[in-house]
Amino acid sequence: MLTQLSRLPPVLMNLDPPDHTRIRKLVARAFSSGAVESLRPVATHIAADLVDDLVKAGPPADFLHDFARPFPARVICALLGVSDVDRHRLRSLMDITLSTSDRTQAGAAFGEIMGLITDLVATKRECPADDLVSSLIAVRDAGDQLSELELLYTVLNLCTGGYEPVAGALSNSLLALSPDQLDRLTDNPSLLPSALEELLRYVPVFCSAKERVALEDVELSGVHIPAGSTIIPVTPSANHDAEVIPDPGHVDLTRTSPHLAFGHGVHRCVAIPLAMMELEIAYTTLLTRLPGLRPTCSVADLVWKTGLVTVGPASLPITWRT
């Protein structure tokens, strides 16, 4: 079992070609448009099941606890083939590993996660199923295109990448929408595709950025960056560049502006089709089933998460018309 955090674990965001290209090609098969569409009925059922519970309990509710977090967790675990019991444990452990304030605690949680993933791989190797982990194992064992360490870290990357960013996007985007805009989306569902792109541009999910090293001399905004220099790109600032996006501090549901919410270049997120499908299903289900959906407090009154690499409220009380 791996018991400590690696400085540079072999996950896609930390790799360059050719290793990045090799692993990305293997993972990308699971996130093709066709593969993701085959998961749509499962994701739709999960969203409906969660909203059924909301309707049954009645307002108010905690959007994060009751929908934004369990929805992507259940979807990604269904894709990977993670059991319900392990899913609940993984969720709590992943919340800890995202913390930046207590690295000892994060390291211990990371060890537990890798233990769960190691056990998952062993189980799927013994009894393969129709899931992504079984597919990755088959590639690893048949063609040796993935080392065992790469396999484990790839599963880890898919777990974390398919969970917190989507949960954050759901909660933060709901906060960004005014009551009038929520009503407009309810009355005009055809606006949803452009609205989702605009919300991804407008709403930050991460409050930290990955260190990068310049491979050659480059000039950026009049600043000379020598080869070998370490830089920390802050992509949310690019999403609010007034030279590219008119009035970037305003949410316009009808425009589709360029954004870097999913990254850029070879490191652009491989799971974009899945993330977009989840956001579409989530909003379609919520706005259809929960008329008059609203946060019940202002942004200023919320308690925000601290010590995490992601940004968002610790809880988000909501209500709707019954």
Side-chain angles (χ1 to χ4, degrees), residues 7-9 11-17 20 208-216 218 220 225-235 262-269:
R7 172 61 176 164
L8 285 174
V11 295
L12 287 174
M13 68 182 68
N14 293 331
L15 295 173
D16 287 325
H20 176 274
S208 67
K210 289 290 182 181
E211 298 174 359
R212 297 299 181 196
V213 176
L215 298 180
E216 58 186 40
V218 64
L220 183 63
I225 302 173
S229 298
T230 299
I231 62 170
I232 302 178
V234 183
T235 53
F262 292 116
H264 179 68
V266 297
H267 287 285
R268 185 169 165 82
C269 178

PDB file of all heavy atoms in Angstrom, residues 7-9 11-17 20 208-216 218 220 225-235 262-269:
ATOM      1  N   ARG A   7       5.418  13.617  -4.556  1.00  0.00           N
ATOM      2  CA  ARG A   7       5.549  14.986  -5.056  1.00  0.00           C
ATOM      3  C   ARG A   7       4.966  15.097  -6.456  1.00  0.00           C
ATOM      4  O   ARG A   7       4.267  16.043  -6.776  1.00  0.00           O
ATOM      5  CB  ARG A   7       7.029  15.388  -5.049  1.00  0.00           C
ATOM      6  CG  ARG A   7       7.351  16.711  -5.726  1.00  0.00           C
ATOM      7  CD  ARG A   7       6.652  17.858  -5.057  1.00  0.00           C
ATOM      8  NE  ARG A   7       7.034  19.139  -5.644  1.00  0.00           N
ATOM      9  CZ  ARG A   7       6.372  20.257  -5.472  1.00  0.00           C
ATOM     10  NH1 ARG A   7       5.275  20.256  -4.738  1.00  0.00           N
ATOM     11  NH2 ARG A   7       6.775  21.378  -6.025  1.00  0.00           N
ATOM     12  N   LEU A   8       5.238  14.121  -7.302  1.00  0.00           N
ATOM     13  CA  LEU A   8       4.710  14.141  -8.661  1.00  0.00           C
ATOM     14  C   LEU A   8       4.164  12.760  -9.009  1.00  0.00           C
ATOM     15  O   LEU A   8       4.836  11.967  -9.669  1.00  0.00           O
ATOM     16  CB  LEU A   8       5.803  14.556  -9.663  1.00  0.00           C
ATOM     17  CG  LEU A   8       6.181  16.036  -9.697  1.00  0.00           C
ATOM     18  CD1 LEU A   8       7.362  16.250 -10.631  1.00  0.00           C
ATOM     19  CD2 LEU A   8       5.009  16.893 -10.152  1.00  0.00           C
ATOM     20  N   PRO A   9       2.971  12.437  -8.552  1.00  0.00           N
ATOM     21  CA  PRO A   9       2.398  11.134  -8.886  1.00  0.00           C
ATOM     22  C   PRO A   9       2.132  11.039 -10.377  1.00  0.00           C
ATOM     23  O   PRO A   9       1.904  12.043 -11.050  1.00  0.00           O
ATOM     24  CB  PRO A   9       1.086  11.114  -8.086  1.00  0.00           C
ATOM     25  CG  PRO A   9       0.756  12.554  -7.856  1.00  0.00           C
ATOM     26  CD  PRO A   9       2.066  13.258  -7.728  1.00  0.00           C
ATOM     27  N   VAL A  11      -0.003  10.955 -12.713  1.00  0.00           N
ATOM     28  CA  VAL A  11      -1.336  11.219 -13.228  1.00  0.00           C
ATOM     29  C   VAL A  11      -1.209  12.169 -14.410  1.00  0.00           C
ATOM     30  O   VAL A  11      -0.182  12.834 -14.592  1.00  0.00           O
ATOM     31  CB  VAL A  11      -2.262  11.809 -12.149  1.00  0.00           C
ATOM     32  CG1 VAL A  11      -2.487  10.807 -11.044  1.00  0.00           C
ATOM     33  CG2 VAL A  11      -1.692  13.095 -11.569  1.00  0.00           C
ATOM     34  N   LEU A  12      -2.266  12.269 -15.218  1.00  0.00           N
ATOM     35  CA  LEU A  12      -2.189  12.995 -16.478  1.00  0.00           C
ATOM     36  C   LEU A  12      -1.685  14.425 -16.331  1.00  0.00           C
ATOM     37  O   LEU A  12      -0.883  14.900 -17.135  1.00  0.00           O
ATOM     38  CB  LEU A  12      -3.561  12.988 -17.161  1.00  0.00           C
ATOM     39  CG  LEU A  12      -3.994  11.648 -17.772  1.00  0.00           C
ATOM     40  CD1 LEU A  12      -5.415  11.741 -18.292  1.00  0.00           C
ATOM     41  CD2 LEU A  12      -3.048  11.243 -18.895  1.00  0.00           C
ATOM     42  N   MET A  13      -2.163  15.140 -15.300  1.00  0.00           N
ATOM     43  CA  MET A  13      -1.798  16.542 -15.173  1.00  0.00           C
ATOM     44  C   MET A  13      -0.316  16.746 -14.876  1.00  0.00           C
ATOM     45  O   MET A  13       0.213  17.832 -15.074  1.00  0.00           O
ATOM     46  CB  MET A  13      -2.634  17.196 -14.073  1.00  0.00           C
ATOM     47  CG  MET A  13      -2.330  16.717 -12.674  1.00  0.00           C
ATOM     48  SD  MET A  13      -3.393  17.477 -11.421  1.00  0.00           S
ATOM     49  CE  MET A  13      -4.983  16.748 -11.826  1.00  0.00           C
ATOM     50  N   ASN A  14       0.368  15.687 -14.413  1.00  0.00           N
ATOM     51  CA  ASN A  14       1.780  15.809 -14.069  1.00  0.00           C
ATOM     52  C   ASN A  14       2.713  15.214 -15.110  1.00  0.00           C
ATOM     53  O   ASN A  14       3.926  15.190 -14.903  1.00  0.00           O
ATOM     54  CB  ASN A  14       2.048  15.120 -12.723  1.00  0.00           C
ATOM     55  CG  ASN A  14       1.377  15.809 -11.562  1.00  0.00           C
ATOM     56  OD1 ASN A  14       1.161  17.009 -11.594  1.00  0.00           O
ATOM     57  ND2 ASN A  14       1.023  15.047 -10.541  1.00  0.00           N
ATOM     58  N   LEU A  15       2.156  14.713 -16.204  1.00  0.00           N
ATOM     59  CA  LEU A  15       2.966  14.014 -17.188  1.00  0.00           C
ATOM     60  C   LEU A  15       3.049  14.788 -18.502  1.00  0.00           C
ATOM     61  O   LEU A  15       2.118  15.492 -18.876  1.00  0.00           O
ATOM     62  CB  LEU A  15       2.383  12.630 -17.467  1.00  0.00           C
ATOM     63  CG  LEU A  15       2.380  11.632 -16.301  1.00  0.00           C
ATOM     64  CD1 LEU A  15       1.614  10.377 -16.700  1.00  0.00           C
ATOM     65  CD2 LEU A  15       3.795  11.285 -15.875  1.00  0.00           C
ATOM     66  N   ASP A  16       4.152  14.638 -19.188  1.00  0.00           N
ATOM     67  CA  ASP A  16       4.331  15.160 -20.535  1.00  0.00           C
ATOM     68  C   ASP A  16       4.387  13.984 -21.500  1.00  0.00           C
ATOM     69  O   ASP A  16       4.605  12.834 -21.077  1.00  0.00           O
ATOM     70  CB  ASP A  16       5.630  15.970 -20.631  1.00  0.00           C
ATOM     71  CG  ASP A  16       5.524  17.319 -19.929  1.00  0.00           C
ATOM     72  OD1 ASP A  16       4.432  17.921 -19.965  1.00  0.00           O
ATOM     73  OD2 ASP A  16       6.529  17.774 -19.341  1.00  0.00           O
ATOM     74  N   PRO A  17       4.208  14.236 -22.815  1.00  0.00           N
ATOM     75  CA  PRO A  17       4.397  13.165 -23.789  1.00  0.00           C
ATOM     76  C   PRO A  17       5.826  12.617 -23.687  1.00  0.00           C
ATOM     77  O   PRO A  17       6.736  13.365 -23.324  1.00  0.00           O
ATOM     78  CB  PRO A  17       4.154  13.865 -25.134  1.00  0.00           C
ATOM     79  CG  PRO A  17       3.286  15.053 -24.777  1.00  0.00           C
ATOM     80  CD  PRO A  17       3.761  15.488 -23.429  1.00  0.00           C
ATOM     81  N   HIS A  20       2.258  10.913 -21.127  1.00  0.00           N
ATOM     82  CA  HIS A  20       0.938  11.532 -21.078  1.00  0.00           C
ATOM     83  C   HIS A  20       0.078  11.045 -22.237  1.00  0.00           C
ATOM     84  O   HIS A  20      -1.100  10.704 -22.053  1.00  0.00           O
ATOM     85  CB  HIS A  20       1.084  13.058 -21.120  1.00  0.00           C
ATOM     86  CG  HIS A  20      -0.223  13.783 -21.171  1.00  0.00           C
ATOM     87  ND1 HIS A  20      -0.884  14.035 -22.350  1.00  0.00           N
ATOM     88  CD2 HIS A  20      -1.004  14.292 -20.190  1.00  0.00           C
ATOM     89  CE1 HIS A  20      -2.008  14.681 -22.093  1.00  0.00           C
ATOM     90  NE2 HIS A  20      -2.102  14.853 -20.803  1.00  0.00           N
ATOM     91  N   SER A 208      -6.461  27.199  -6.183  1.00  0.00           N
ATOM     92  CA  SER A 208      -5.018  27.028  -6.318  1.00  0.00           C
ATOM     93  C   SER A 208      -4.711  26.596  -7.741  1.00  0.00           C
ATOM     94  O   SER A 208      -5.605  26.240  -8.506  1.00  0.00           O
ATOM     95  CB  SER A 208      -4.489  25.983  -5.326  1.00  0.00           C
ATOM     96  OG  SER A 208      -4.988  24.700  -5.648  1.00  0.00           O
ATOM     97  N   ALA A 209      -3.442  26.641  -8.108  1.00  0.00           N
ATOM     98  CA  ALA A 209      -3.055  26.287  -9.466  1.00  0.00           C
ATOM     99  C   ALA A 209      -1.818  25.402  -9.424  1.00  0.00           C
ATOM    100  O   ALA A 209      -1.054  25.408  -8.451  1.00  0.00           O
ATOM    101  CB  ALA A 209      -2.785  27.540 -10.290  1.00  0.00           C
ATOM    102  N   LYS A 210      -1.631  24.632 -10.472  1.00  0.00           N
ATOM    103  CA  LYS A 210      -0.488  23.744 -10.562  1.00  0.00           C
ATOM    104  C   LYS A 210       0.762  24.512 -10.971  1.00  0.00           C
ATOM    105  O   LYS A 210       0.717  25.387 -11.842  1.00  0.00           O
ATOM    106  CB  LYS A 210      -0.758  22.626 -11.576  1.00  0.00           C
ATOM    107  CG  LYS A 210      -1.776  21.602 -11.108  1.00  0.00           C
ATOM    108  CD  LYS A 210      -1.217  20.744  -9.992  1.00  0.00           C
ATOM    109  CE  LYS A 210      -2.231  19.700  -9.562  1.00  0.00           C
ATOM    110  NZ  LYS A 210      -1.702  18.868  -8.457  1.00  0.00           N
ATOM    111  N   GLU A 211       1.881  24.177 -10.343  1.00  0.00           N
ATOM    112  CA  GLU A 211       3.146  24.752 -10.769  1.00  0.00           C
ATOM    113  C   GLU A 211       3.504  24.216 -12.155  1.00  0.00           C
ATOM    114  O   GLU A 211       3.300  23.044 -12.449  1.00  0.00           O
ATOM    115  CB  GLU A 211       4.249  24.391  -9.780  1.00  0.00           C
ATOM    116  CG  GLU A 211       4.033  24.918  -8.376  1.00  0.00           C
ATOM    117  CD  GLU A 211       5.084  24.413  -7.405  1.00  0.00           C
ATOM    118  OE1 GLU A 211       5.958  23.630  -7.837  1.00  0.00           O
ATOM    119  OE2 GLU A 211       5.034  24.781  -6.231  1.00  0.00           O
ATOM    120  N   ARG A 212       4.029  25.089 -12.981  1.00  0.00           N
ATOM    121  CA  ARG A 212       4.500  24.693 -14.303  1.00  0.00           C
ATOM    122  C   ARG A 212       5.896  25.254 -14.517  1.00  0.00           C
ATOM    123  O   ARG A 212       6.273  26.279 -13.939  1.00  0.00           O
ATOM    124  CB  ARG A 212       3.557  25.201 -15.406  1.00  0.00           C
ATOM    125  CG  ARG A 212       2.144  24.628 -15.332  1.00  0.00           C
ATOM    126  CD  ARG A 212       2.145  23.129 -15.485  1.00  0.00           C
ATOM    127  NE  ARG A 212       0.806  22.559 -15.450  1.00  0.00           N
ATOM    128  CZ  ARG A 212       0.561  21.270 -15.249  1.00  0.00           C
ATOM    129  NH1 ARG A 212       1.554  20.431 -15.051  1.00  0.00           N
ATOM    130  NH2 ARG A 212      -0.683  20.830 -15.235  1.00  0.00           N
ATOM    131  N   VAL A 213       6.668  24.598 -15.380  1.00  0.00           N
ATOM    132  CA  VAL A 213       8.030  25.020 -15.678  1.00  0.00           C
ATOM    133  C   VAL A 213       8.117  25.374 -17.161  1.00  0.00           C
ATOM    134  O   VAL A 213       7.705  24.589 -18.025  1.00  0.00           O
ATOM    135  CB  VAL A 213       9.053  23.915 -15.339  1.00  0.00           C
ATOM    136  CG1 VAL A 213      10.463  24.349 -15.755  1.00  0.00           C
ATOM    137  CG2 VAL A 213       9.009  23.594 -13.851  1.00  0.00           C
ATOM    138  N   ALA A 214       8.620  26.576 -17.440  1.00  0.00           N
ATOM    139  CA  ALA A 214       8.780  27.005 -18.832  1.00  0.00           C
ATOM    140  C   ALA A 214       9.877  26.174 -19.500  1.00  0.00           C
ATOM    141  O   ALA A 214      11.005  26.114 -19.009  1.00  0.00           O
ATOM    142  CB  ALA A 214       9.138  28.483 -18.873  1.00  0.00           C
ATOM    143  N   LEU A 215       9.543  25.522 -20.604  1.00  0.00           N
ATOM    144  CA  LEU A 215      10.514  24.690 -21.317  1.00  0.00           C
ATOM    145  C   LEU A 215      11.424  25.505 -22.218  1.00  0.00           C
ATOM    146  O   LEU A 215      12.467  25.027 -22.651  1.00  0.00           O
ATOM    147  CB  LEU A 215       9.782  23.625 -22.140  1.00  0.00           C
ATOM    148  CG  LEU A 215       8.931  22.628 -21.336  1.00  0.00           C
ATOM    149  CD1 LEU A 215       8.272  21.627 -22.282  1.00  0.00           C
ATOM    150  CD2 LEU A 215       9.781  21.902 -20.303  1.00  0.00           C
ATOM    151  N   GLU A 216      11.007  26.745 -22.497  1.00  0.00           N
ATOM    152  CA  GLU A 216      11.831  27.638 -23.320  1.00  0.00           C
ATOM    153  C   GLU A 216      11.522  29.070 -22.916  1.00  0.00           C
ATOM    154  O   GLU A 216      10.562  29.334 -22.192  1.00  0.00           O
ATOM    155  CB  GLU A 216      11.519  27.430 -24.803  1.00  0.00           C
ATOM    156  CG  GLU A 216      10.057  27.660 -25.159  1.00  0.00           C
ATOM    157  CD  GLU A 216       9.723  27.320 -26.603  1.00  0.00           C
ATOM    158  OE1 GLU A 216      10.241  26.305 -27.095  1.00  0.00           O
ATOM    159  OE2 GLU A 216       8.948  28.084 -27.219  1.00  0.00           O
ATOM    160  N   VAL A 218       9.989  32.563 -22.952  1.00  0.00           N
ATOM    161  CA  VAL A 218       8.703  32.994 -23.465  1.00  0.00           C
ATOM    162  C   VAL A 218       8.382  34.366 -22.886  1.00  0.00           C
ATOM    163  O   VAL A 218       8.829  34.707 -21.789  1.00  0.00           O
ATOM    164  CB  VAL A 218       7.587  31.974 -23.093  1.00  0.00           C
ATOM    165  CG1 VAL A 218       7.411  31.897 -21.590  1.00  0.00           C
ATOM    166  CG2 VAL A 218       6.269  32.323 -23.753  1.00  0.00           C
ATOM    167  N   LEU A 220       5.228  36.809 -21.806  1.00  0.00           N
ATOM    168  CA  LEU A 220       3.809  36.768 -21.488  1.00  0.00           C
ATOM    169  C   LEU A 220       3.396  38.111 -20.912  1.00  0.00           C
ATOM    170  O   LEU A 220       3.902  38.534 -19.871  1.00  0.00           O
ATOM    171  CB  LEU A 220       3.513  35.648 -20.483  1.00  0.00           C
ATOM    172  CG  LEU A 220       2.060  35.429 -20.091  1.00  0.00           C
ATOM    173  CD1 LEU A 220       1.227  35.011 -21.293  1.00  0.00           C
ATOM    174  CD2 LEU A 220       1.957  34.368 -18.988  1.00  0.00           C
ATOM    175  N   ILE A 225       9.920  35.420 -19.378  1.00  0.00           N
ATOM    176  CA  ILE A 225      10.020  34.253 -18.510  1.00  0.00           C
ATOM    177  C   ILE A 225      11.113  33.341 -19.063  1.00  0.00           C
ATOM    178  O   ILE A 225      10.935  32.731 -20.123  1.00  0.00           O
ATOM    179  CB  ILE A 225       8.679  33.501 -18.447  1.00  0.00           C
ATOM    180  CG1 ILE A 225       7.572  34.427 -17.933  1.00  0.00           C
ATOM    181  CG2 ILE A 225       8.797  32.260 -17.560  1.00  0.00           C
ATOM    182  CD1 ILE A 225       6.196  33.827 -17.984  1.00  0.00           C
ATOM    183  N   PRO A 226      12.243  33.255 -18.372  1.00  0.00           N
ATOM    184  CA  PRO A 226      13.346  32.423 -18.879  1.00  0.00           C
ATOM    185  C   PRO A 226      13.017  30.937 -18.811  1.00  0.00           C
ATOM    186  O   PRO A 226      12.232  30.498 -17.961  1.00  0.00           O
ATOM    187  CB  PRO A 226      14.502  32.762 -17.927  1.00  0.00           C
ATOM    188  CG  PRO A 226      14.080  33.979 -17.186  1.00  0.00           C
ATOM    189  CD  PRO A 226      12.587  33.944 -17.137  1.00  0.00           C
ATOM    190  N   ALA A 227      13.600  30.174 -19.694  1.00  0.00           N
ATOM    191  CA  ALA A 227      13.450  28.718 -19.651  1.00  0.00           C
ATOM    192  C   ALA A 227      13.903  28.202 -18.291  1.00  0.00           C
ATOM    193  O   ALA A 227      14.892  28.672 -17.731  1.00  0.00           O
ATOM    194  CB  ALA A 227      14.265  28.077 -20.763  1.00  0.00           C
ATOM    195  N   GLY A 228      13.143  27.237 -17.764  1.00  0.00           N
ATOM    196  CA  GLY A 228      13.467  26.679 -16.462  1.00  0.00           C
ATOM    197  C   GLY A 228      12.781  27.370 -15.302  1.00  0.00           C
ATOM    198  O   GLY A 228      12.841  26.882 -14.165  1.00  0.00           O
ATOM    199  N   SER A 229      12.106  28.491 -15.569  1.00  0.00           N
ATOM    200  CA  SER A 229      11.415  29.210 -14.502  1.00  0.00           C
ATOM    201  C   SER A 229      10.121  28.491 -14.117  1.00  0.00           C
ATOM    202  O   SER A 229       9.425  27.925 -14.962  1.00  0.00           O
ATOM    203  CB  SER A 229      11.072  30.635 -14.944  1.00  0.00           C
ATOM    204  OG  SER A 229      12.239  31.364 -15.238  1.00  0.00           O
ATOM    205  N   THR A 230       9.811  28.525 -12.833  1.00  0.00           N
ATOM    206  CA  THR A 230       8.553  27.972 -12.341  1.00  0.00           C
ATOM    207  C   THR A 230       7.493  29.060 -12.323  1.00  0.00           C
ATOM    208  O   THR A 230       7.729  30.159 -11.829  1.00  0.00           O
ATOM    209  CB  THR A 230       8.720  27.404 -10.919  1.00  0.00           C
ATOM    210  OG1 THR A 230       9.685  26.344 -10.943  1.00  0.00           O
ATOM    211  CG2 THR A 230       7.394  26.863 -10.391  1.00  0.00           C
ATOM    212  N   ILE A 231       6.351  28.770 -12.890  1.00  0.00           N
ATOM    213  CA  ILE A 231       5.244  29.719 -12.893  1.00  0.00           C
ATOM    214  C   ILE A 231       4.000  29.041 -12.334  1.00  0.00           C
ATOM    215  O   ILE A 231       3.896  27.809 -12.334  1.00  0.00           O
ATOM    216  CB  ILE A 231       4.948  30.266 -14.303  1.00  0.00           C
ATOM    217  CG1 ILE A 231       4.537  29.131 -15.255  1.00  0.00           C
ATOM    218  CG2 ILE A 231       6.143  31.021 -14.861  1.00  0.00           C
ATOM    219  CD1 ILE A 231       4.017  29.601 -16.573  1.00  0.00           C
ATOM    220  N   ILE A 232       3.071  29.829 -11.830  1.00  0.00           N
ATOM    221  CA  ILE A 232       1.800  29.313 -11.323  1.00  0.00           C
ATOM    222  C   ILE A 232       0.678  30.023 -12.079  1.00  0.00           C
ATOM    223  O   ILE A 232       0.299  31.143 -11.742  1.00  0.00           O
ATOM    224  CB  ILE A 232       1.661  29.543  -9.811  1.00  0.00           C
ATOM    225  CG1 ILE A 232       2.819  28.873  -9.062  1.00  0.00           C
ATOM    226  CG2 ILE A 232       0.318  28.990  -9.313  1.00  0.00           C
ATOM    227  CD1 ILE A 232       2.790  29.095  -7.571  1.00  0.00           C
ATOM    228  N   PRO A 233       0.174  29.417 -13.142  1.00  0.00           N
ATOM    229  CA  PRO A 233      -0.906  30.058 -13.916  1.00  0.00           C
ATOM    230  C   PRO A 233      -2.225  30.044 -13.154  1.00  0.00           C
ATOM    231  O   PRO A 233      -2.588  29.041 -12.547  1.00  0.00           O
ATOM    232  CB  PRO A 233      -0.991  29.189 -15.179  1.00  0.00           C
ATOM    233  CG  PRO A 233      -0.485  27.857 -14.757  1.00  0.00           C
ATOM    234  CD  PRO A 233       0.536  28.102 -13.676  1.00  0.00           C
ATOM    235  N   VAL A 234      -2.920  31.165 -13.148  1.00  0.00           N
ATOM    236  CA  VAL A 234      -4.217  31.276 -12.483  1.00  0.00           C
ATOM    237  C   VAL A 234      -5.278  31.415 -13.566  1.00  0.00           C
ATOM    238  O   VAL A 234      -5.565  32.514 -14.053  1.00  0.00           O
ATOM    239  CB  VAL A 234      -4.247  32.470 -11.509  1.00  0.00           C
ATOM    240  CG1 VAL A 234      -5.583  32.528 -10.782  1.00  0.00           C
ATOM    241  CG2 VAL A 234      -3.102  32.366 -10.499  1.00  0.00           C
ATOM    242  N   THR A 235      -5.874  30.302 -13.968  1.00  0.00           N
ATOM    243  CA  THR A 235      -6.786  30.308 -15.109  1.00  0.00           C
ATOM    244  C   THR A 235      -8.055  31.122 -14.903  1.00  0.00           C
ATOM    245  O   THR A 235      -8.586  31.667 -15.881  1.00  0.00           O
ATOM    246  CB  THR A 235      -7.151  28.871 -15.521  1.00  0.00           C
ATOM    247  OG1 THR A 235      -7.633  28.153 -14.380  1.00  0.00           O
ATOM    248  CG2 THR A 235      -5.936  28.143 -16.075  1.00  0.00           C
ATOM    249  N   PHE A 262     -11.679  24.020 -18.349  1.00  0.00           N
ATOM    250  CA  PHE A 262     -11.209  22.650 -18.505  1.00  0.00           C
ATOM    251  C   PHE A 262      -9.736  22.571 -18.883  1.00  0.00           C
ATOM    252  O   PHE A 262      -9.254  21.507 -19.280  1.00  0.00           O
ATOM    253  CB  PHE A 262     -12.042  21.920 -19.563  1.00  0.00           C
ATOM    254  CG  PHE A 262     -13.465  21.680 -19.147  1.00  0.00           C
ATOM    255  CD1 PHE A 262     -14.514  22.278 -19.839  1.00  0.00           C
ATOM    256  CD2 PHE A 262     -13.772  20.856 -18.076  1.00  0.00           C
ATOM    257  CE1 PHE A 262     -15.823  22.052 -19.467  1.00  0.00           C
ATOM    258  CE2 PHE A 262     -15.080  20.621 -17.696  1.00  0.00           C
ATOM    259  CZ  PHE A 262     -16.114  21.216 -18.390  1.00  0.00           C
ATOM    260  N   GLY A 263      -9.027  23.685 -18.795  1.00  0.00           N
ATOM    261  CA  GLY A 263      -7.625  23.678 -19.173  1.00  0.00           C
ATOM    262  C   GLY A 263      -7.451  23.942 -20.660  1.00  0.00           C
ATOM    263  O   GLY A 263      -8.375  24.365 -21.358  1.00  0.00           O
ATOM    264  N   HIS A 264      -6.236  23.660 -21.144  1.00  0.00           N
ATOM    265  CA  HIS A 264      -5.909  23.985 -22.531  1.00  0.00           C
ATOM    266  C   HIS A 264      -4.829  23.033 -23.034  1.00  0.00           C
ATOM    267  O   HIS A 264      -4.039  22.488 -22.261  1.00  0.00           O
ATOM    268  CB  HIS A 264      -5.406  25.428 -22.610  1.00  0.00           C
ATOM    269  CG  HIS A 264      -5.022  25.869 -23.997  1.00  0.00           C
ATOM    270  ND1 HIS A 264      -5.949  26.025 -25.001  1.00  0.00           N
ATOM    271  CD2 HIS A 264      -3.819  26.158 -24.543  1.00  0.00           C
ATOM    272  CE1 HIS A 264      -5.336  26.408 -26.111  1.00  0.00           C
ATOM    273  NE2 HIS A 264      -4.042  26.483 -25.855  1.00  0.00           N
ATOM    274  N   GLY A 265      -4.797  22.850 -24.339  1.00  0.00           N
ATOM    275  CA  GLY A 265      -3.735  22.058 -24.960  1.00  0.00           C
ATOM    276  C   GLY A 265      -3.825  20.585 -24.616  1.00  0.00           C
ATOM    277  O   GLY A 265      -4.913  20.035 -24.389  1.00  0.00           O
ATOM    278  N   VAL A 266      -2.652  19.932 -24.536  1.00  0.00           N
ATOM    279  CA  VAL A 266      -2.639  18.489 -24.311  1.00  0.00           C
ATOM    280  C   VAL A 266      -3.176  18.124 -22.928  1.00  0.00           C
ATOM    281  O   VAL A 266      -3.588  16.983 -22.702  1.00  0.00           O
ATOM    282  CB  VAL A 266      -1.222  17.904 -24.480  1.00  0.00           C
ATOM    283  CG1 VAL A 266      -0.728  18.093 -25.901  1.00  0.00           C
ATOM    284  CG2 VAL A 266      -0.249  18.503 -23.482  1.00  0.00           C
ATOM    285  N   HIS A 267      -3.177  19.086 -22.008  1.00  0.00           N
ATOM    286  CA  HIS A 267      -3.667  18.817 -20.661  1.00  0.00           C
ATOM    287  C   HIS A 267      -5.130  19.228 -20.471  1.00  0.00           C
ATOM    288  O   HIS A 267      -5.616  19.246 -19.343  1.00  0.00           O
ATOM    289  CB  HIS A 267      -2.792  19.516 -19.625  1.00  0.00           C
ATOM    290  CG  HIS A 267      -1.454  18.860 -19.455  1.00  0.00           C
ATOM    291  ND1 HIS A 267      -1.284  17.681 -18.770  1.00  0.00           N
ATOM    292  CD2 HIS A 267      -0.223  19.204 -19.905  1.00  0.00           C
ATOM    293  CE1 HIS A 267      -0.015  17.331 -18.790  1.00  0.00           C
ATOM    294  NE2 HIS A 267       0.651  18.240 -19.477  1.00  0.00           N
ATOM    295  N   ARG A 268      -5.804  19.568 -21.551  1.00  0.00           N
ATOM    296  CA  ARG A 268      -7.230  19.864 -21.447  1.00  0.00           C
ATOM    297  C   ARG A 268      -7.945  18.635 -20.900  1.00  0.00           C
ATOM    298  O   ARG A 268      -7.646  17.498 -21.289  1.00  0.00           O
ATOM    299  CB  ARG A 268      -7.769  20.247 -22.824  1.00  0.00           C
ATOM    300  CG  ARG A 268      -9.232  20.690 -22.831  1.00  0.00           C
ATOM    301  CD  ARG A 268      -9.552  21.295 -24.194  1.00  0.00           C
ATOM    302  NE  ARG A 268     -10.972  21.434 -24.451  1.00  0.00           N
ATOM    303  CZ  ARG A 268     -11.724  22.444 -24.005  1.00  0.00           C
ATOM    304  NH1 ARG A 268     -11.151  23.394 -23.282  1.00  0.00           N
ATOM    305  NH2 ARG A 268     -13.011  22.515 -24.292  1.00  0.00           N
ATOM    306  N   CYS A 269      -8.891  18.852 -19.994  1.00  0.00           N
ATOM    307  CA  CYS A 269      -9.552  17.760 -19.276  1.00  0.00           C
ATOM    308  C   CYS A 269     -10.073  16.691 -20.235  1.00  0.00           C
ATOM    309  O   CYS A 269     -10.778  16.988 -21.210  1.00  0.00           O
ATOM    310  CB  CYS A 269     -10.697  18.319 -18.438  1.00  0.00           C
ATOM    311  SG  CYS A 269     -11.629  17.056 -17.553  1.00  0.00           S
TER     312      CYS A 269
END
